[in-house]
Amino acid sequence: MDLNQDFPFTTKEGHEYLVRFSQFNPEVIPHDIAIPVVDVTIELVISANQTNNAKTLFQIAGCIRNYVELHNVILYCYCDSAPIQKRNPDLLNQAYRSQLFVKMFEKQNNEDYINEKIIIEDPVNGNHYIHLFSKKHNKQAINSIANELMRLNK
């Protein structure tokens, strides 16, 4: 089954998004991980003149949750530092994206899933925020990947 998939959608306000799922090369995954790891990218393709609302987060979260329902995978989401509209200008873009990712799933009461947040400290470029998302039965694999990522935290 092809795990590489794109899901475009348009919000009520006219924002166009693309949620892209791309499987990691299995050779770069720790050898004790038997489950596929899939990178999830949330891309704003066209921005409308209006601000987003919570419904947009629910649409994105629903798309991600549906993908995990169909595929037994661990999703890897790296929060980048690209510009984003936010209320608190002192908050780094990647930290804000991480907060959004947490809120997307908290609001939906997804008790059957794990959303593991990993922060790799980088005083030069700003901290790196990564989320690993999957069903709870994959907790051991998530812990293994999280431990590997934390080795980068020096």
Side-chain angles (χ1 to χ4, degrees):
M1 178 178 286
D2 187 14
L3 296 175
N4 298 323
Q5 297 177 9
D6 291 347
F7 294 94
F9 70 91
T10 303
T11 67
K12 183 179 173 183
E13 297 81 25
H15 301 284
E16 291 184 26
Y17 283 91
L18 178 65
V19 180
R20 174 169 283 151
F21 298 94
S22 308
Q23 184 174 0
F24 272 82
N25 179 345
E27 293 174 10
V28 301
I29 305 301
H31 69 282
D32 62 329
I33 306 297
I35 184 171
V37 178
V38 175
D39 180 55
V40 60
T41 304
I42 304 163
E43 182 180 332
L44 176 62
V45 179
I46 296 175
S47 177
N49 291 333
Q50 300 177 7
T51 57
N52 274 317
N53 62 37
K55 288 182 182 179
T56 299
L57 292 179
F58 291 144
Q59 280 183 279
I60 294 169
C63 181
I64 291 170
R65 191 182 64 249
N66 289 342
Y67 183 88
V68 171
E69 280 295 318
L70 293 172
H71 309 286
N72 185 31
V73 298
I74 295 173
L75 296 181
Y76 173 99
C77 182
Y78 178 79
C79 301
D80 68 19
S81 60
I84 186 170
Q85 201 172 29
K86 55 190 187 279
R87 290 183 183 155
N88 180 353
D90 296 329
L91 190 63
L92 294 174
N93 294 337
Q94 54 270 43
Y96 181 72
R97 281 189 172 84
S98 178
Q99 285 180 0
L100 287 175
F101 203 78
V102 168
K103 293 294 180 199
M104 277 193 298
F105 296 102
E106 280 180 357
K107 296 288 185 190
Q108 291 192 352
N109 298 319
N110 289 316
E111 297 165 356
D112 297 332
Y113 302 92
I114 299 167
N115 181 4
E116 183 76 26
K117 178 170 73 170
I118 299 154
I119 302 171
I120 299 171
E121 295 177 12
D122 184 346
V124 175
N125 300 306
N127 293 345
H128 302 272
Y129 293 79
I130 299 165
H131 289 263
L132 300 173
F133 185 81
S134 191
K135 290 189 174 183
K136 281 190 174 180
H137 69 263
N138 293 320
K139 178 69 174 163
Q140 185 175 351
I142 285 177
N143 288 342
S144 181
I145 294 169
N147 289 337
E148 284 295 315
L149 288 169
M150 288 309 295
R151 290 182 190 205
L152 301 172
N153 200 13
K154 298 178 182 183

